[in-house]
Amino acid sequence: MDFLFYDWLGTPAWFWLAFAGLVFVLTAFDLGFLHKEDREMGIVESLRLSVFYIAIASVFGAWVWWAKGSEDGIAYFTGYFIEKALSIDNVFVISMIFGFFAIAPKYQYRALLWGIMAVIVLRGLMIAGGVALVSQAHWVMYIFAAFLVFTGVKMLFAKEQDPDIGNNPVIRWISRHMRVTKAHHEEHFFVRERNEAGRLVWAATPLFLALVIINLADLVFAVDSVPAIFSITTDTFIVYTSNIMAILGLRALYFALAAMVHRFHYLKYALALVLVFIGAKILVADFVMGGAKFPPLISLGVTLALIAGGVGWSLWKTRGEEPRIGH
């Protein structure tokens, strides 16, 4: 059993196994118990399940705080809150994707679940690449910092523009190289149908196309969120677990947020300021504070204050507005 205590990426192996076990149990519970059958999730159920996932993430964060120390605990919660807030923008895009492909609400949860399982792997690869870069050259952190500041400033002044899903090059490529059905086939990603010669062949469904575009959209969002968490800590365990714990609850929160995402219109400005702050503090720590560690509690406090302020201001400014999109 000595292998459980071997150091793997700066953390004992049993920490990683415990987290993997938690993710497996939550996913099995979700897929095997809560959603054995495809059905539409109501807003109340969505909120209750979201509270459950947030509670699990908070308990896990408390365990990290106890087991690895207050600095890692604060870094975990800071990364978790940033990823959770950034996911609200992701919800808007996902809702548009489902609307474009006319995916029935009762089948959206299945696409979200498989999409998030893919995200667990893709985020792991991105974080592993980031760790390799940072460990070889510290100056990569300055690139992350500059990118976050640039992205934040761009978010502050950029005009809103809905993504052009119909002209997505990936959809065009799949449509050219794969047989795609025009009709929906319930929860199936692939079905067999007869081609022009009368032979049965495999064909992708609109639900599969939606799944692919959702995963591509997440990769775009990860370009912001992963450097943001690296700017808080370079501990691989903290970066990965805070990212994944925030994402695991996204599928539960989606059905509540998709119905009221228009109420968070002004949150993007708070998120922009968070990205600018997170990027700037790296430069401040290295060039103003002489390489000293930026106080983690200040990072967490400023992040929470900006996010809470953005949520509060959005809810107040959009009171009485009708939803712009449905799901």
Side-chain angles (χ1 to χ4, degrees):
M1 299 296 287
D2 290 344
F3 76 92
L4 294 175
F5 299 94
Y6 289 163
D7 184 88
W8 192 58
L9 298 176
T11 301
W14 74 271
F15 277 63
W16 289 99
L17 292 174
F19 178 70
L22 176 61
V23 172
F24 176 80
V25 168
L26 288 174
T27 304
F29 171 74
D30 205 336
L31 187 60
F33 178 74
L34 291 179
H35 294 87
K36 288 188 293 186
E37 298 179 355
D38 292 300
R39 59 184 177 81
E40 182 176 356
M41 181 184 289
I43 292 177
V44 174
E45 182 185 0
S46 174
L47 290 173
R48 287 176 179 171
L49 196 55
S50 296
V51 170
F52 168 75
Y53 274 103
I54 291 171
I56 293 294
S58 299
V59 170
F60 181 81
W63 176 72
V64 169
W65 194 308
W66 173 80
K68 292 177 68 70
S70 60
E71 186 172 323
D72 282 344
I74 292 171
Y76 167 86
F77 280 109
T78 305
Y80 175 80
F81 287 126
I82 290 175
E83 180 63 39
K84 203 71 173 175
L86 286 171
S87 68
I88 294 177
D89 269 351
N90 207 353
V91 164
F92 174 71
V93 174
I94 291 172
S95 184
M96 290 192 65
I97 293 170
F98 282 143
F100 177 83
F101 289 105
I103 305 299
K106 66 183 297 185
Y107 302 123
Q108 291 176 6
Y109 199 92
R110 182 174 294 271
L112 286 172
L113 179 60
W114 287 105
I116 287 172
M117 291 175 69
V119 165
I120 291 174
V121 176
L122 294 174
R123 290 288 178 100
L125 294 175
M126 291 185 69
I127 289 169
V131 169
L133 286 173
V134 172
S135 63
Q136 293 296 318
H138 178 72
W139 55 264
V140 172
M141 292 300 298
Y142 302 143
I143 296 178
F144 285 169
F147 175 75
L148 291 173
V149 172
F150 171 79
T151 302
V153 172
K154 183 180 178 181
M155 285 176 64
L156 282 173
F157 299 103
K159 294 181 180 179
E160 288 195 15
Q161 187 175 6
D162 293 341
D164 189 359
I165 299 171
N167 289 321
N168 188 291
V170 176
I171 292 181
R172 295 202 303 268
W173 187 90
I174 292 176
S175 299
R176 286 197 304 266
H177 293 83
M178 293 180 63
R179 190 179 185 88
V180 180
T181 68
K182 293 183 179 180
H184 292 271
H185 293 270
E186 299 180 333
E187 78 279 9
H188 299 293
F189 294 112
F190 294 93
V191 294
R192 296 189 72 184
E193 64 176 17
R194 296 193 181 278
N195 61 10
E196 293 76 6
R199 290 180 295 181
L200 284 174
V201 295
W202 285 104
T205 68
L207 186 62
F208 174 75
L209 292 182
L211 175 65
V212 171
I213 301 304
I214 286 172
N215 278 295
L216 290 175
D218 180 79
L219 286 177
V220 174
F221 279 98
V223 172
D224 291 337
S225 63
V226 171
I229 299 179
F230 266 115
S231 302
I232 297 164
T233 178
T234 55
D235 186 312
T236 311
F237 183 79
I238 302 300
V239 173
Y240 186 67
T241 56
S242 62
N243 219 270
I244 298 306
M245 290 304 287
I247 292 170
L248 278 176
L250 176 60
R251 60 183 182 270
L253 190 58
Y254 167 78
F255 292 94
L257 285 182
M260 56 182 295
V261 72
H262 65 290
R263 298 293 309 278
F264 296 95
H265 173 71
Y266 296 94
L267 178 60
K268 76 166 190 173
Y269 300 109
L271 294 177
L273 293 176
V274 168
L275 294 180
V276 171
F277 167 73
I278 294 298
K281 78 182 184 67
I282 295 178
L283 304 176
V284 170
D286 276 18
F287 297 107
V288 178
M289 299 172 59
K293 189 83 172 176
F294 196 91
L297 275 176
I298 293 180
S299 292
L300 178 59
V302 171
T303 299
L304 284 177
L306 288 171
I307 293 173
V311 170
W313 180 253
S314 289
L315 293 176
W316 184 76
K317 289 287 288 184
T318 59
R319 61 194 185 282
E321 286 189 11
E322 293 295 325
R324 293 184 300 161
I325 56 175
H327 71 287

